[in-house]
Amino acid sequence: MRKKGLKVLFLMMALALIIVGCGTKENAKEENAKKESSKNESSEVTTGASEGSSYTPLAELKDSYDIVIVGSGGAGMSAALEAKEKGLNPVIFEKMAVVGGNTLKSSSGMNASETKFQKEEGISDSNDLFYEETLAGGHGTNDPEMLRFFVDHSADAIDWLDSMGIRLNNLTITGGMKEKRTHRPEDGSAVGQYLVNGLIKNVQEKDIPVFVNADVKEITEKDDQVNGVKVQFDHKEDKTIKADAVVVTTGGFGANMEMISETNPELKDYVTTNQIGSTGDGIKMIEKLGGYTVDMKEIQIHPTVQQEKSYLIGEVVRGEGAILVSSTGERFVNELDTRDAVSSAVNQTPDKFAYLIFDSGVKERAKAIEQYEKLGFVVEGQTLAELAKEINVPDTALEATVGKWNEDVAAKSDTAFNRTTGMEHDLSKGPYYAIKIAPGIHYTMGGIKVNPETEVLTKEGTSIKGLYAAGELTGGLHGENRIGGNSVAEIIIFGRQAGIKSAEFVHSLK
């Protein structure tokens, strides 16, 4: 009896261990799923881009570098490549789990004038026209010195990218422009992921260390000169890293709704297209050192944002021929007017939303639409009447609107709203498509005041020694309104400049 009882006891214990083991495995699975979900949330901007990139292990961190670059978007990586080219030892610290920042979300392209790719297509453009159209887009409030440097160095930036295998030779047009100067990848796809993938490839080939999950908390200084940063790794380990210069390229504050509400309370209920890391960290750190801000209330609303996922629908769709209709099925604006004007027009429609309407031809030319399809934003109809039914607008009105548009395209004259660009093709190639949109927070034009050398300035007009900034965290270039395609140009042009000028400063110390 005793033996039989012991057997039963052993069987029961074994069964219990199996159950516990299974429970432990299930708990582990749940925990891993939670971790993966958290990881996905923290890096939601990175889908497809820079995944699989190998970053520098923390064990290889050094106590000092020639130049610390804070932020790994287009501006940060451009600065790092130029500093390395000047014979220095830069490092990149990125607070997110992957590189790219808001650059990853860029879709339309990069503006530049007098480029070799324009000349190949017989496009007659000039830096002066680029200057004037950008100034008009900013309502005359742009910093003239920054703008002049920007346009005059735009073609060189295109050549520099091309020299590294990042070719932007597919041309389109964006709102506020008269010429095709928005440069895209050869296949017409979204510029952001292509650009980030190309830059990180070059950064790694040059053996420039890139540390992710590296959150810079403070820029240090001694004797009125920047001398390094304090950085937190993996949300726990703090380190002080010495450097002769610091370049800040942390982006704007479009994902910081507290800062948005403080600077422009009217926008507190808008969705934002910004990646979650765009929280204004660099602006705050620089202000503590005596830097100051300009144009902080100038926050750009983008007219075509898919609201449920706060996803930007790039201007390239309109640039390749799409039109906007309200819930009545009728056009209501020049679709390629400046972003502020189009956003205002959408907000004045009966339901404060609109539909982008396009055909298979636009879809073929604007490769970014493939991504919008994958995300479930695109509604399809074999005919305009079928599409109208799908989006619940009057079919007769939609058919009449597209018919009138096609007549205007043939006549090269938009009799309703004086649109003059993006009219090379009519909308007559079925199937037809629609994307529901409304305005959303897209870009913060205000930020730290710098000069064309990217030196951070104090209110007294002096520069803070050893401190440079580039990209969306700076203010002045765009004034009250940014032209689509100018942000990508800005990060490359002034990112390069920050790398060059910080390198010159470091060399002057040696």
Side-chain angles (χ1 to χ4, degrees), residues 326-340:
S326 69
S327 58
T328 67
E330 299 168 313
R331 288 179 70 215
F332 55 91
V333 71
N334 169 1
E335 292 85 355
L336 286 171
D337 203 342
T338 54
R339 288 176 173 178
D340 54 344

Side-chain angles (χ1 to χ4, degrees), residues 17 28 40 55 147 152 173 184 186 273 299 332 411 436 473:
L17 285 170
N40 289 340
Y55 303 117
L147 181 54
D152 288 345
I173 199 162
R184 301 178 292 175
E186 195 156 19
T273 67
I299 299 168
F332 55 91
K436 186 178 180 180
L473 92 155

Side-chain angles (χ1 to χ4, degrees), residues 451-500:
N451 59 23
E453 285 70 45
T454 68
E455 297 170 327
V456 173
L457 302 178
T458 66
K459 283 187 176 180
E460 292 71 38
T462 59
S463 61
I464 299 174
K465 288 184 180 179
L467 185 59
Y468 300 81
E472 193 178 348
L473 92 155
T474 64
L477 174 65
H478 306 292
E480 292 178 356
N481 180 62
R482 180 176 67 81
I483 293 291
N486 277 0
S487 61
V488 176
E490 177 187 18
I491 60 177
I492 303 301
I493 293 165
F494 287 107
R496 293 183 66 199
Q497 178 76 328
I500 292 167

Side-chain angles (χ1 to χ4, degrees), residues 142-216:
N142 316 64
D143 181 309
E145 281 189 297
M146 294 290 288
L147 181 54
R148 190 74 248 178
F149 184 93
F150 171 76
V151 300
D152 288 345
H153 290 81
S154 61
D156 185 48
I158 292 288
D159 291 342
W160 180 73
L161 290 172
D162 194 37
S163 73
M164 298 186 292
I166 305 171
R167 173 159 284 214
L168 301 178
N169 63 338
N170 185 313
L171 298 172
T172 189
I173 199 162
T174 54
M177 296 287 171
K178 292 187 177 72
E179 298 293 343
K180 283 189 174 183
R181 64 171 67 101
T182 305
H183 294 63
R184 301 178 292 175
E186 195 156 19
D187 64 357
S189 59
V191 71
Q193 293 186 1
Y194 175 76
L195 186 59
V196 169
N197 288 340
L199 287 171
I200 190 61
K201 178 176 180 287
N202 279 274
V203 163
Q204 291 174 337
E205 285 175 354
K206 300 289 186 184
D207 294 322
I208 298 170
V210 179
F211 294 93
V212 296
N213 295 312
D215 190 1
V216 173

Side-chain angles (χ1 to χ4, degrees), residues 254-273:
N256 187 332
M257 295 315 295
E258 185 178 339
M259 284 183 73
I260 294 285
S261 297
E262 286 173 0
T263 54
N264 195 331
E266 293 179 6
L267 305 179
K268 62 183 178 65
D269 295 325
Y270 276 66
V271 301
T272 179
T273 67

Side-chain angles (χ1 to χ4, degrees), residues 228-272:
V229 297
K230 290 182 180 178
V231 55
Q232 184 180 78
F233 293 93
D234 296 320
H235 308 288
K236 53 188 176 184
E237 191 173 359
D238 291 335
K239 296 268 189 182
T240 298
I241 307 298
K242 297 294 183 184
D244 291 324
V246 174
V247 177
V248 186
T249 60
T250 51
F253 58 95
N256 187 332
M257 295 315 295
E258 185 178 339
M259 284 183 73
I260 294 285
S261 297
E262 286 173 0
T263 54
N264 195 331
E266 293 179 6
L267 305 179
K268 62 183 178 65
D269 295 325
Y270 276 66
V271 301
T272 179

